[in-house]
Amino acid sequence: MKFKTLFLTTAALLCLLIGCDREKALPSDREMTLFVGDLMKKMTLEEKIGQLNLCTGGGFFTGPAVLHDDQGLIRQGRVGAILNTFGVDDVTALQKMAVEESRLGIPLIFGLDVVHGFRTIFPVPIAQACSWDMEAIEKSEQIAASEATAMGINWTYAPMVDIARDPRWGRVMEGAGEDTYLGSMIAAARVRGFQGSDLGDEKTMMACVKHFAAYGAPQAGRDYHTVDMSDRSLHEWYLPPYRAAVDAGAGSVMTSFNEIAGVPSSSSRWLLTDLLRNDWGFEGFVVSDWTSIPELIPHGVAADSADAARLAINAGLDLDMEGRVYQNYMEDLVSSGKVSEETIDNSVRRILEAKYKLGLFKDPYRYCNKEREANEIMTAENQAFARKFAARSMVLLKNENNTLPISKNIRSIAVIGPLGDSRENTLGGWGAAGQWDSCVTLLAGIKAKAGDNIKVLFEKGCEITGTNTDGFASALAAARKADFVILALGESQDMSGEASCRTDISLPGVQMELARSVISLGKPVAVVLYNGRPMTIAGLDETAPAILEAWFGGTQSGNAVADILFGDVNPSGKLTMTFPRSVGQIPIFYNYKNTGRPFDPSLPEDYFKSRYLDSPNTPLYPFGFGLSYTTFSYSPLSLNRTAFDRGEEVEAAVEITNTGNYDGDEIVQLYVRDRVGNVTRPVKELKAFRRISVKKGETVRVLFALPLSDLSYYHEDMSYDYDGGEYELYIGSDSDVKEFVLFTVLQP
Ligand code: BGC
């Protein structure tokens, strides 16, 4: 408990100085600075470097790991933080070594990838984004933080805010999709959820924005691959979500594996210091990704491990995740003058400040509370929220002749497909402490809903991958017996996520064959899709009467799907990533540029235009698309004026009527097009949205106030401004909306 003493002495001294009652004094920046400065004076160089070392405590590995004597290192004060150890007993044991056995007793930070829930698992992030529900996203992170902190974790490697336009890349599952505006809102909501208003609260944890930067744009959609893009694209499309997370107060930032225009992120002084710290004012610490510092060697910018350590720390990278190069080479680099002591001190200070903010110096065991561990995880309340949130994240892609919802008066139902009862493919990648045995599968959800009145049959039909069709006969037999068929198809959860890229993103194995055979029976059929990325499912779209995109929905997935299929919840999610018709269209996204030769499909003779010979340009399902069991009609939109002076706001209003038979939620989207830019502008850009509930027969007026400054972008000289001239303004239910009104921004 050396630390408690040290902390109290400093605090007491401060209170004397400022003449206050110690109990009432709130930790201020000044107190923190004094405390940390005091502590650093006592530290040897070896102990300082120790704070810059992040080691795995076991559990998960996402890269090469060597077994080290980490317990010995902890006792020597040569480890600053641990990842992948959780549970009060295990965390307490390691924390004890640091606090009670190392010379200065500096506590450890405990980090984990709490990406979409801790033990209660929510839908994968790409699915959550499809809810367009910032409140729900924030709440899910609050719950994740409260569960994780009950088991020793105080730092999460989330949010992942990489904008991605290529569904071959498996990690699209972890992000918010392709849109920068929506992605930035979600980034901020997640940070607020994890960190709350006070990092010192025992139910909040520190966020880590990743992967800085542009990790979502690897060449050919292959993980860890090269990123090369214009400065304008980087600033306009890829950087804003990181910035939004930093502005929301994120305590740490993780570098990405990739290079950008020849400079790997982990050695980029421009990225980590000039931009992040100097321009954006980031005051937290920067951590590498797993071994991304020694990976500077194969990248070809470092000669050896020592060189890699030198490049990274001098660029502004504070904490080495499992690279072990700070641990092994930093002392020599300092004694040879290749790294200054000041540089080390700056990095150490940032790590110690994070520990201070987390309250670890006051009580290193504050996240090790047996009672919280026993009572605050997987609560009924958390399950109820997970169920609601999963349903809100699902997207109805097709519903011919109102195939869905399923009538509760049918007598039998057949669940068919390899994902129909697959617990291990319910949580989705980065399942943290989630447990398969607590997952509700589709079959379990349907059975619970069907009760005794509806007979539920199940046949797998085939595996997710492979060529075996032996199960088709019994699947078809079950389908023949049933009044309604649910086909549960898709990817296994390990087909998306890190190192899980695919060149073919259609249904794997013989699933499409199974689907065709079952659908050809002519029964009412709904396909429920499980996947972590947009897939190429044109064949399914042509043949299946109904398709529900269920993603990997987490612990309560099966109940949520059942709620939707039986109409207890009206689907309301909208896609945040374009579904291509074929892999050949990738990258395909809604905010593309018009080109000098835009293709107009109503003029098919037009040969020398930007188009394919063998495919339409348009996607299968556009960004923002999603159906409901009800229908909404949009009135013509109206503006308060048609001409605006600089600095003003455009007010746009529309009336939305629920013209169908169910109450429902609609996600109303506002897009803008700048007709004549200083540089070329996208055909549409999302600028605002609203999620509204409309009862059947009801009309709701939605009013948007759009500050003209929201139209700003990077001009040719990289100045950030908006143009005078004409703009098209669209309000609709997806990015394919055609009707617009014009407004003008008057030149100054
Ligand atoms: C991933 C990160 C993750 C880290 C720690 C890496 O392989 O790229 O996203 O946070 O492992 O698990």
Side-chain angles (χ1 to χ4, degrees):
M1 291 268 106
K2 289 166 206 149
F3 248 105
K4 255 189 166 156
T5 327
L6 181 60
F7 178 85
L8 292 178
T9 323
T10 315
L13 187 71
L14 261 169
C15 288
L16 273 180
L17 284 176
I18 54 178
C20 67
D21 171 352
R22 197 185 74 206
E23 290 306 310
K24 284 188 198 148
L26 291 172
S28 65
D29 282 1
R30 198 172 135 68
E31 276 178 38
M32 179 173 77
T33 309
L34 282 174
F35 176 82
V36 168
D38 214 15
L39 175 56
M40 282 176 60
K41 281 188 206 134
K42 299 188 174 74
M43 295 170 80
T44 61
L45 179 61
E46 189 184 59
E47 284 164 339
K48 285 181 182 171
I49 293 167
Q51 289 303 305
L52 313 183
N53 190 17
L54 167 61
C55 301
T56 180
F60 314 95
F61 297 87
T62 50
V66 191
L67 282 181
H68 299 267
D69 176 18
D70 288 338
Q71 302 198 350
L73 288 177
I74 293 173
R75 291 187 171 100
Q76 291 162 30
R78 294 180 63 203
V79 177
I82 294 285
L83 79 152
N84 297 346
T85 292
F86 59 84
V88 169
D89 288 343
D90 289 354
V91 170
T92 307
L94 293 181
Q95 192 69 297
K96 260 193 168 162
M97 285 174 208
V99 173
E100 292 173 23
E101 297 183 50
S102 75
R103 191 178 77 90
L104 289 171
I106 302 177
L108 299 161
I109 297 178
F110 286 85
L112 185 75
D113 292 274
V114 183
V115 170
H116 53 115
F118 178 72
R119 180 140 288 157
T120 302
I121 301 295
F122 305 110
V124 290
I126 182 86
Q128 294 188 17
C130 293
S131 73
W132 301 55
D133 186 339
M134 299 309 117
E135 239 174 76
I137 290 173
E138 186 174 333
K139 180 163 181 192
S140 76
E141 304 303 25
Q142 260 165 25
I143 294 175
S146 99
E147 288 197 353
T149 53
M151 284 186 79
I153 295 300
N154 41 39
W155 181 31
T156 176
Y157 305 122
M160 187 279 218
V161 304
D162 307 321
I163 293 301
R165 293 168 162 181
D166 189 333
R168 291 172 298 181
W169 188 53
R171 300 197 80 170
V172 303
M173 180 273 281
E174 298 169 48
E178 71 193 36
D179 186 63
T180 305
Y181 171 75
L182 181 63
S184 302
M185 305 247 326
I186 291 176
R190 291 196 190 283
V191 172
R192 288 196 303 271
F194 288 132
Q195 297 194 165
S197 55
D198 178 11
L199 253 194
D201 183 324
E202 63 167 12
K203 293 192 180 180
T204 63
M205 63 184 168
M206 182 170 51
C208 182
V209 190
K210 69 188 191 185
H211 305 83
F212 195 55
Y215 182 44
Q219 284 174 0
R222 206 174 77 212
D223 210 1
Y224 317 123
H225 205 353
T226 304
V227 172
D228 201 356
M229 64 171 69
S230 71
D231 249 15
R232 179 163 295 102
S233 293
L234 181 66
H235 280 90
E236 188 164 337
W237 306 123
Y238 289 88
L239 291 178
Y242 308 103
R243 173 80 194 257
V246 165
D247 287 350
S252 63
V253 169
M254 186 187 294
T255 63
S256 56
F257 287 118
N258 55 280
E259 66 164 78
I260 307 173
V263 185
S265 301
S266 294
S267 64
S268 174
R269 190 168 167 85
W270 170 74
L271 197 62
L272 306 184
T273 297
D274 298 349
L275 183 76
L276 180 65
R277 293 197 186 283
N278 299 345
D279 289 1
W280 294 2
F282 174 66
E283 288 179 349
F285 67 82
V286 176
V287 60
S288 75
D289 203 344
W290 186 288
T291 61
S292 74
I293 306 179
E295 287 170 28
L296 295 173
I297 305 169
H299 266 297
V301 295
D304 52 32
S305 299
D307 205 24
R310 174 187 65 84
L311 282 171
I313 194 113
N314 286 337
L317 206 168
D318 304 308
L319 186 60
D320 174 6
M321 186 197 290
E322 265 301 317
R324 310 278 175 161
V325 293
Y326 286 6
Q327 174 189 313
N328 295 333
Y329 304 98
M330 200 54 83
E331 263 190 271
D332 283 353
L333 287 167
V334 174
S335 37
S336 64
K338 289 186 177 150
V339 173
S340 71
E341 282 200 59
E342 191 192 347
T343 302
I344 301 288
D345 281 355
N346 285 339
S347 291
V348 174
R349 185 173 304 109
R350 292 173 194 135
I351 307 289
L352 295 177
E353 284 180 358
K355 294 184 177 186
Y356 187 98
K357 288 180 189 156
L358 287 166
L360 288 169
F361 289 120
K362 272 190 188 164
D363 178 7
Y365 303 104
R366 63 202 313 263
Y367 302 96
C368 299
N369 179 331
K370 276 285 198 195
E371 210 178 302
R372 283 193 62 210
E373 183 176 52
N375 301 322
E376 295 183 16
I377 288 174
M378 290 288 281
T379 60
E381 210 185 330
N382 293 358
Q383 298 318 297
F385 176 76
R387 178 171 183 163
K388 219 171 122 188
F389 192 26
R392 247 170 145 73
S393 302
M394 294 174 186
V395 185
L396 184 63
L397 297 175
K398 185 175 176 191
N399 194 20
E400 205 172 72
N401 303 324
N402 297 324
T403 305
L404 289 173
I406 304 170
S407 156
K408 286 184 180 153
N409 298 323
I410 59 165
R411 293 206 315 271
S412 59
I413 200 161
V415 174
I416 292 173
L419 286 136
D421 194 27
S422 174
R423 280 210 162 96
E424 63 274 29
N425 290 299
T426 304
L427 294 180
W430 294 120
Q435 293 166 323
W436 294 356
D437 56 8
S438 58
C439 286
V440 183
T441 64
L442 171 60
L443 183 63
I446 297 291
K447 277 188 172 163
K449 189 74 79 178
D452 296 333
N453 302 333
I454 304 174
K455 188 166 180 206
V456 182
L457 309 165
F458 172 63
E459 286 296 335
K460 218 168 158 184
C462 63
E463 298 300 329
I464 295 173
T465 53
T467 53
N468 192 332
T469 56
D470 292 353
F472 278 26
S474 35
L476 288 168
R480 278 195 196 94
K481 281 189 224 148
D483 295 337
F484 196 101
V485 181
I486 300 169
L487 267 171
L489 309 174
E491 298 181 314
S492 59
Q493 71 173 34
D494 57 9
M495 289 175 118
S496 53
E498 185 170 354
S500 301
C501 303
R502 299 179 66 203
T503 57
D504 174 358
I505 54 171
S506 63
L507 282 175
V510 289
Q511 292 185 72
M512 191 57 215
E513 260 178 63
L514 174 70
R516 279 191 209 284
S517 315
V518 171
I519 293 166
S520 69
L521 297 177
K523 298 264 177 177
V525 175
V527 173
V528 178
L529 267 186
Y530 291 85
N531 47 316
R533 59 154 60 80
M535 297 180 75
T536 49
I537 49 162
L540 209 53
D541 180 69
E542 254 167 47
T543 48
I547 306 175
L548 177 70
E549 174 55 81
W551 307 106
F552 295 115
T555 315
Q556 286 291 323
S557 162
N559 282 331
V561 173
D563 286 342
I564 289 189
L565 294 183
F566 282 95
D568 293 333
V569 173
N570 190 350
S572 58
K574 303 254 192 185
L575 297 177
T576 61
M577 220 180 151
T578 304
F579 271 50
R581 292 172 195 273
S582 69
V583 167
Q585 290 184 308
I586 296 171
I588 181 169
F589 45 92
Y590 84 94
N591 45 355
Y592 60 91
K593 301 289 187 72
N594 203 38
T595 82
R597 293 192 177 192
F599 176 59
D600 178 351
S602 64
L603 306 169
E605 307 307 309
D606 223 3
Y607 194 85
F608 291 102
K609 289 294 168 79
S610 180
R611 64 181 186 121
Y612 300 105
L613 291 178
D614 57 353
S615 164
N617 287 355
T618 53
L620 185 61
Y621 308 118
F623 173 86
F625 173 77
L627 302 170
S628 164
Y629 292 153
T630 193
T631 45
F632 297 102
S633 78
Y634 280 62
S635 72
L637 69 99
S638 62
L639 298 186
N640 55 338
R641 295 206 307 278
T642 52
F644 298 86
D645 287 320
R646 279 184 72 87
E648 289 192 317
E649 270 185 5
V650 181
E651 279 181 20
V654 71
E655 288 185 350
I656 291 145
T657 305
N658 182 335
T659 48
N661 294 321
Y662 301 83
D663 297 345
D665 278 12
E666 168 69 330
I667 297 162
V668 186
Q669 301 156 44
L670 185 152
Y671 297 89
V672 167
R673 177 177 188 175
D674 182 350
R675 281 195 155 173
V676 182
N678 169 270
V679 297
T680 59
R681 301 303 300 146
V683 294
K684 260 178 211 147
E685 283 177 273
L686 181 73
K687 289 291 174 191
F689 63 88
R690 192 79 47 76
R691 190 182 168 107
I692 54 166
S693 298
V694 194
K695 297 216 175 310
K696 69 177 171 183
E698 194 184 55
T699 297
V700 169
R701 184 164 190 268
V702 178
L703 181 70
F704 291 99
L706 182 73
L708 288 179
S709 54
D710 283 6
L711 304 172
S712 301
Y713 65 91
Y714 292 94
H715 282 212
E716 197 175 355
D717 61 1
M718 290 306 276
S719 62
Y720 192 67
D721 201 359
Y722 55 99
D723 304 312
E726 274 189 334
Y727 291 82
E728 296 169 7
L729 190 144
Y730 302 77
I731 298 182
S733 65
D734 62 53
S735 62
D736 199 30
V737 51
K738 301 275 191 285
E739 293 75 35
F740 62 87
V741 291
L742 280 177
F743 70 88
T744 306
V745 175
L746 301 168
Q747 301 284 3

